[in-house]
Amino acid sequence: PDAPRIAVRGEAHLEVDPELARIGVTVNARGKDRRTALDDLTRRNTTVLDLIKTYGDAVERLETGAFSITPELTRHGRGERVHTYHGTVRLTAELTDFTALGELTTRLADLELTRVDGPWWALRPASQAHRRARQQAVREAVLRAREYAEALGTTLAALVELADIGAENAQPYPQPPARMRSVAFAAETADPVAPPLDLEPQRQHVYAQVNARFTMVPPRL
């Protein structure tokens, strides 16, 4: 009675532009023997890497994810006879310059036996958008608690507790599933001229939730 409490939840939802775009590149090669497949794969992989690196600072990260050379057996006949060898290299590139993204994606798709997947849009883990969402959630919690106190004809006295949703159980508050848009390309022969793709960045949704408890001046009921 001397220090009545108010418990509220503050929530925030921001819609912001993405900061990163990720694409996946799969380089393929086939050959009647292992050495031929490996040589072709090495050449095409080098071509892809050199092309991506020409974009300089627009490419923030370039990584090789997987490499494989797989023998494919003949479907008919007895014994284990190798019909051909299939080689694959998978790469991932992250770009910060979305103007260069459309041009790079088109040029990669023009390369021989190269597949391009993406883009997948995202924010940086330390993006200021997360900070703004958390602060907005706190302000929302204070505003909601103040409105409850005003409905009772009194005011807030002190903050007792402020916590992320689920912090009491050592669990982070749930994040919404990432929204991704993908476009896939595959090319076996290069065209002389290919216009750059016009890729529209997908807006990202940032959520934040907090629990807050306040004490208020005892109201006269």
Side-chain angles (χ1 to χ4, degrees):
D2 296 332
R5 296 189 178 189
I6 299 177
V8 297
R9 172 178 295 185
E11 300 175 328
H13 172 209
L14 302 182
E15 189 174 326
V16 298
D17 291 328
E19 298 169 344
L20 299 172
R22 188 176 74 254
I23 58 173
V25 184
T26 304
V27 184
N28 298 282
R30 289 181 180 273
K32 291 295 185 180
D33 58 82
R34 185 185 299 270
R35 183 57 185 270
T36 300
L38 185 57
D39 288 346
D40 288 345
L41 186 63
T42 301
R43 174 177 54 83
R44 291 168 186 164
N45 179 65
T46 301
T47 300
V48 169
L49 290 175
D50 290 344
L51 174 57
I52 296 175
K53 289 177 181 179
T54 61
Y55 284 81
D57 294 338
V59 180
E60 184 168 286
R61 180 178 300 177
L62 176 60
E63 298 175 339
T64 300
F67 159 77
S68 66
I69 289 286
T70 306
E72 298 181 3
L73 303 180
T74 55
R75 296 183 179 180
H76 306 287
R78 298 179 179 180
E80 296 182 347
R81 298 182 58 185
V82 177
H83 173 65
T84 185
Y85 287 86
H86 181 204
T88 301
V89 174
R90 293 182 175 85
L91 307 169
T92 301
E94 286 188 356
L95 285 84
T96 56
D97 185 347
F98 301 155
T99 303
L101 175 65
E103 179 183 326
L104 175 60
T105 303
T106 303
R107 294 178 66 184
L108 288 171
D110 261 343
L111 297 178
E112 186 180 16
L113 288 178
T114 301
R115 175 189 174 95
V116 182
D117 294 288
W120 294 279
W121 310 97
L123 295 172
R124 299 177 187 275
S127 171
Q128 289 297 310
H130 299 294
R131 178 174 180 267
R132 294 199 305 270
R134 290 190 291 265
Q135 291 181 337
Q136 183 173 321
V138 172
R139 289 192 291 267
E140 172 65 23
V142 174
L143 177 62
R144 184 174 297 187
R146 186 171 291 148
E147 290 174 349
Y148 285 146
E150 290 175 355
L152 294 171
T154 185
T155 58
L156 298 179
L159 173 67
V160 176
E161 180 180 325
L162 180 68
D164 281 339
I165 300 298
E168 298 87 348
N169 300 321
Q171 296 288 337
Y173 60 85
Q175 294 282 357
R179 296 180 60 191
M180 298 186 295
R181 180 177 67 181
S182 65
V183 185
F185 311 89
E188 295 189 2
T189 58
D191 295 328
V193 178
L197 286 167
D198 184 11
L199 301 176
E200 289 294 332
Q202 186 182 52
R203 300 276 286 176
Q204 302 297 293
H205 295 265
V206 183
Y207 297 87
Q209 295 179 325
V210 294
N211 282 334
R213 292 181 174 84
F214 301 85
T215 58
M216 59 182 174
V217 177
R220 294 183 178 181
L221 301 179

